[in-house]
Amino acid sequence: MKDELKCAFTGKNFWISTAIIVVCYLSFSVPSWVGSADWGTEFHPSALQQSLEALVFGGVILLLPFCAAGAYAISQVDDIQSNFLLFKIARSSYRKYALGKILSAAASGAAVIAITFVLHAVIWNWIALPYDPVAYPYHELPFKENGFFVKWHLIEHALPIYLYIFFAMGLFGAVWALIALAVSVWVPDKILAITIPACFYQLWAGGIYRFLFGWQLPTPSTMFLISADQRILTQSLIMYGLHALTAIILYRLGLKRWVQHA
């Protein structure tokens, strides 16, 4: 398991995924900052606004499922195609191998999504004024009245909002990495293992559950893209938990199939 975790965080795919997300964040937030250069210090966007606008409007949300999958989950394809899968299982056991892959994929997916948000936020808290709508009324953002953010935005320059989004995005990354891992063992092709979860993400966001079952559910990014409330948070946690459990079950079944027919 330690070797899997080491490979997950030192492999080139993890760092490529990290770089892609950071560049995408900055490609929106830097032009936005430059465009407000003549507004004066107190009218510049706050660090919180720079951090959130790049996430909400910068298009990075479209890349997150790809990068969560590409960070490490698709390494399962290499193990299958090289037959290294059987060697690894022989050295340890089926259960240890499966657990190592599941934890490594989830951890790398969570890290690449959550840490890049923090890194981008740290950059803008260093460059821009920290969020302070009391001292700078222009900083105030229009949060939902019944959401968590309206209660938190005056605390320590909105630190609870940053922390909430950090953990929510970590959960997002972990679950989509697990979905990619499950796809990898059934469809051992790297491109498909990255694109199939992203396609499923778009179907979920487009209301596939409402169309098929009549369920009015939050989209996969609702939890951190808007000022979430208790109902949205509860529904999102249930949905993410069910998707993670389903992905793990499908992965174990697919892995067992490969071992039995190898």
Side-chain angles (χ1 to χ4, degrees):
M1 188 182 301
K2 290 182 179 179
D3 291 339
E4 288 287 350
L5 285 170
K6 181 179 179 180
C7 291
F9 288 95
T10 58
K12 66 177 182 179
N13 287 346
F14 178 84
W15 295 106
I16 290 173
S17 297
T18 299
I20 289 172
I21 298 175
V22 171
V23 169
C24 190
Y25 274 130
L26 294 176
S27 66
F28 181 90
S29 58
V30 170
S32 176
W33 179 258
V34 172
S36 64
D38 299 330
W39 294 3
T41 303
E42 64 180 297
F43 298 109
H44 262 308
S46 67
L48 180 64
Q49 183 175 337
Q50 286 291 103
S51 302
L52 296 186
E53 281 191 344
L55 175 61
V56 177
F57 303 114
V60 68
I61 188 64
L62 300 175
L63 291 176
L64 295 184
F66 291 98
C67 293
Y72 189 67
I74 59 173
S75 66
Q76 182 67 64
V77 175
D78 290 328
D79 286 358
I80 292 173
Q81 292 181 344
S82 65
N83 286 325
F84 205 47
L85 167 66
L86 299 179
F87 174 73
K88 286 185 174 181
I89 291 177
R91 286 186 58 190
S92 55
S93 68
Y94 166 80
R95 289 186 177 182
K96 288 183 178 179
Y97 175 84
L99 181 61
K101 278 293 184 184
I102 290 169
L103 292 179
S104 299
S108 61
V112 77
I113 302 302
I115 291 176
T116 48
F117 170 76
V118 170
L119 178 59
H120 182 251
V122 167
I123 290 172
W124 285 110
N125 274 273
W126 176 60
I127 296 174
L129 287 172
Y131 181 76
D132 189 353
V134 175
Y136 305 99
Y138 185 76
H139 281 187
E140 189 165 1
L141 299 176
F143 296 120
K144 285 176 57 178
E145 292 185 2
N146 61 336
F148 296 136
F149 292 2
V150 75
K151 304 173 185 177
W152 296 341
H153 76 123
L154 297 178
I155 303 173
E156 295 295 330
H157 303 295
L159 179 61
I161 294 178
Y162 289 114
L163 292 175
Y164 172 86
I165 296 177
F166 169 77
F167 286 110
M169 294 189 74
L171 175 62
F172 175 98
V175 172
W176 287 103
L178 289 174
I179 292 172
L181 184 66
V183 173
S184 295
V185 80
W186 286 97
V187 187
D189 179 279
K190 287 187 177 181
I191 295 178
L192 292 176
I194 292 175
T195 55
I196 288 176
C199 290
F200 175 57
Y201 171 89
Q202 292 299 326
L203 289 172
W204 180 359
I208 186 66
Y209 290 114
R210 182 179 67 254
F211 177 77
L212 293 177
F213 309 110
W215 299 344
Q216 296 291 336
L217 299 173
T219 64
S221 58
T222 296
M223 185 166 57
F224 58 83
L225 275 187
I226 68 170
S227 176
D229 55 33
Q230 185 63 51
R231 179 183 62 83
I232 290 174
L233 178 60
T234 301
Q235 290 181 345
S236 295
L237 289 175
I238 292 172
M239 289 301 294
Y240 274 111
L242 290 174
H243 282 83
L245 179 61
T246 302
I248 290 172
I249 292 172
L250 289 175
Y251 173 70
R252 293 291 297 268
L253 291 174
L255 186 61
K256 183 177 290 185
R257 179 177 69 94
W258 276 104
V259 173
Q260 289 176 344
H261 294 88

